[in-house]
Amino acid sequence: MVDLVGTVVEVGTVEAVYQGTLVEINEYEVHLESESGWVVIPMDRIAYVRKKKED
């Protein structure tokens, strides 16, 4: 997943799917910069992280 840093990704959790630029990823959380601001998602809530498909 480290190779996705700097790209636009989708992060899926049980509650929602977040989209934004992956800024940082570590063993505890994922940091995204989205259109609405910064999003920090704890690792234990993440179902997947994948590169966003082009529309």
Side-chain angles (χ1 to χ4, degrees):
M1 285 191 280
V2 174
D3 57 327
L4 294 175
V5 171
T7 62
V8 178
V9 297
E10 292 180 340
V11 179
T13 67
V14 175
E15 299 88 20
V17 175
Y18 300 91
Q19 295 181 13
T21 302
L22 181 61
V23 176
E24 182 182 344
I25 188 166
N26 59 46
E27 62 185 277
Y28 303 109
E29 55 198 15
V30 168
H31 296 252
L32 297 178
E33 185 175 8
S34 70
E35 289 183 12
S36 60
W38 288 92
V39 179
V40 179
I41 308 162
M43 266 305 186
D44 62 352
R45 304 197 131 212
I46 294 174
Y48 64 85
V49 177
R50 63 182 174 214
K51 187 173 181 178
K52 185 174 184 277
K53 295 180 182 177
E54 298 292 325
D55 291 331

